[in-house]
Structures are given as C-alpha cells and as structure tokens.
Amino acid sequence: MGLFGDEPFHRIGKLPKYVFAEINTMRAKARRAGFDVVDLGMGNPDGATPRVVVDKLTEAAQDKRNHRYSLSKGIPRLREEICKRYRTNYGVSLDPETEAIATMGSKDALAHLTFATIGPGDGVVMPDPSYPIHQWGVVMADGKQIPIPMPSPSEFLERVEDLYKKPGRKPTMILTSFPHNPTTQCIDLEFFGPLVELAHRHGTMLVHDFAYADIVFDGYRAPSMLQAPGAKEVGVEIFSMSKSYSMPGWRVGFCLGNAKMIHALGRIKSYLDYGMFQPIQIAAIIALRQCEAFTSETAAVYKSRRDTLIDGLRLGEWNVEPPRATMFVWAEIPRRYAWAGSLDFSKLMLEKALVAVSPGIGFGPHGDQYVRFALVENEQRIRQATRGIRRLLRV
C-alpha cells in the first residue's frame, strides 16, 4: 500500500472508466503497426483559424504589456464584442459588465459554473446521451445527475415536465445543448418556453451549451435560449469560438445571461485563474468583428463532409439521416451488429475497416446502440473511410 492508500481520491473515484480511451489505444497501436486509420472519433476541428486572427495574435504578443496577468472575466472589449454579436444575431441585449464573462472554452464555463452554483445532492437534469462534461461536471461538484432519455427533443421536454409533477425536491438546474452533441438533434425557439416557465415557477437554473450555434445546414438556423422571453432571468448560455471560428486550441468561450450566475462564475474564476493570455483575447476580438462570414464558410465545409459520409454509408446500405447541424453524424449501429453494443462495434470498425469512431455508450446508456462520426477529415479521407466500412458490412 502506498502513502495515500489504494483508494482513489474523492472526486476521481466518482468518475467512470473513460471508454474512449480503449479506442484511442487501439488506434495508436494500429498506426504504430503501419495501418492508415481514418480518425473520425474526437471532434477536433481540423480547419485553420482565419489568417487575420493569427496575425493579430502575433502582433499583440510582441507588446510586453500583454505579457502580464489579464482579467479572469476577460478584458472589457472582448466582453463588449460578444454582447454586440448577440444583439446583432439574436436581438438579445446583454450588459458586458454583469451579464457576460469570457472563459477558457466551454468546458471551463460548464465545469466551474457547476462548482459555483451546485451543492451536495443538488439535482441537475440533462439529456441521455450527453456530452461527458455535462454529466460528470455535476458529479465532480457533488451534485446529483438526473439523466432523462431523449429520443427526441419533444419527448425529453415531456419527461422533464413529468418529473416536475412528481412530489419531492425539484432539480436545481436543467442543462441542455442544442444543436446537440452527440445526437445532432435540433430545436426551434419554442422549445425553450416550457423550460423557462418551469424555471421561473420552481427556482431552477437553466444552462444552455450553444457550442454548435453556427454549424448549421439546409436552411436551419439555431436559436439562442436567451431569445426566449424570461430566459435571462433564470439562466445562462455558453458560447464557444472553437467550432464557429476554427479556434479549438485557443480556448475562447463565454458564459452569458443571468447576472447572479455570471457573478458566481466570476467569483470562482477569480480564485482559479487570471484569464486567457491577453493576446488571445485581443485576437478573439478581431475574429468577432471581422470574421462573421467565415462561420458560414466553415459550416459549408462540414456540410460537404456530411454529404460525402452519408452517401458513402448508403452505398453500403447503412442508411443514416443527415443531421441539420453540428460537426457530427450520429448513426444507429446496423441491425446485423446490434448485438455488439457501441464499444465492441467501434472496435470492430477500427480493426476491420480502419476507421475510428466514438462509441455511443461514452455519452450515456441510451447511446449504446449508436456510434458518432466526427467530420474532421477531408472528403477524400471520408471516402476512404466509407470504402473500408462497406467492406466490413459486406462480410
């Protein structure tokens, strides 16, 4: 027995085995053996950040004044710029001083907001399946997960309303994310009305992760939760520049909306960090000011990749509904392999088709009959992937 014993630390012991690690290990082993694996697993955007943004970073980094500690809540001009974007794109008015905070990506916002607002045993509702930080950020904060199956957004909403009709302690928070990762499901603005009403009636906080706000196709436009009447009084929205502006490694995100929740997040962050490197914040301002057209170009790239993947899968008689948003395709496992479950099927895909995907079980129990493709390779590589998949499905 070591100095600290054999038991895991308190919060680490609550976390499940990371199922994606098995696929990552297999992928790395195959590549070391010389196999050309097409990696459609992790949603890591491969596009270049706009040149004007990179140039501004380079320029700002030369100024020694920008080498000092910054502000944990983000410099004023950056907060002003995201508020302008919300006013222009969604007709939402926000006070950059009290209703906006810059964060180190959406994970920072989600994890630390939960730490700031959730206490031991507080219930947090989220869809099943969901992005892992939505589920396990709650657990790390000593809250209680309340996963609600989501065959469709309307069924999820009905089940949430049914939950509130039951006697007992009501949830402290409802956490949603549309366009949704991993299922790619989309909603209209009317979806938020009943949630806002529940939140007002029961004192529940709303949190909406809006990471895929701009990765939309086929005429669909994703609504901001803050457009819903009364939403700002009970909730916040998290926006990330990772996907919209091809800036994943820059770690620039925002939490926007309810002033009390924003203040709580700011208090936590004031103890934890001094904010992003200031040249990154300055460059992000340029992205918000000058690169709005780039977001549509980025969406067009993902649409082309989506179509290539969907067409290639259909040639193998794996018929998948094309998503209206996100950089993912959520595909039900072909019937003949349904027995396998998502992890074993993902391993089979890697071994036989040389394609890495994310097993749906990693997003929650109700994801186990699905795999998630990330559209992070070009069309040529995606066609290569679908050829390998078709060989597997013909066996």
Side-chain angles (χ1 to χ4, degrees), residues 307-364:
D307 294 344
T308 300
L309 178 62
I310 295 291
D311 290 346
L313 293 177
R314 283 176 176 166
L315 288 174
E317 299 184 357
W318 189 356
N319 294 313
V320 179
E321 190 70 23
R324 291 192 295 161
T326 78
M327 55 185 289
F328 305 111
V329 169
W330 183 243
E332 188 170 8
I333 296 170
R335 188 172 301 170
R336 63 181 290 198
Y337 290 104
W339 56 267
S342 60
L343 181 56
D344 284 343
F345 182 68
S346 297
K347 291 178 179 178
L348 190 65
M349 288 260 286
L350 207 155
E351 181 183 350
K352 302 295 185 182
L354 295 179
V355 178
V357 295
S358 292
I361 188 65
F363 303 99

Side-chain angles (χ1 to χ4, degrees), residues 273-296:
D273 66 68
Y274 286 107
M276 291 169 276
F277 183 42
Q278 194 150 292
I280 289 177
Q281 298 187 59
I282 293 168
I285 291 169
I286 298 303
L288 290 168
R289 283 181 182 169
Q290 299 183 22
C291 301
E292 190 64 23
F294 179 85
T295 65
S296 298

Side-chain angles (χ1 to χ4, degrees), residues 146-160:
I146 308 177
I148 303 291
M150 190 173 71
S152 69
S154 60
E155 289 172 277
F156 170 77
L157 191 56
E158 288 173 9
R159 290 172 179 181
V160 172

Side-chain angles (χ1 to χ4, degrees), residues 66 88 115 171 224 283 293 302 305 307 309 325 336-337 376 383:
N66 291 326
T88 300
F115 268 92
S224 162
Y302 286 122
R305 294 176 178 184
D307 294 344
L309 178 62
R336 63 181 290 198
Y337 290 104
V376 293
R383 281 190 286 268

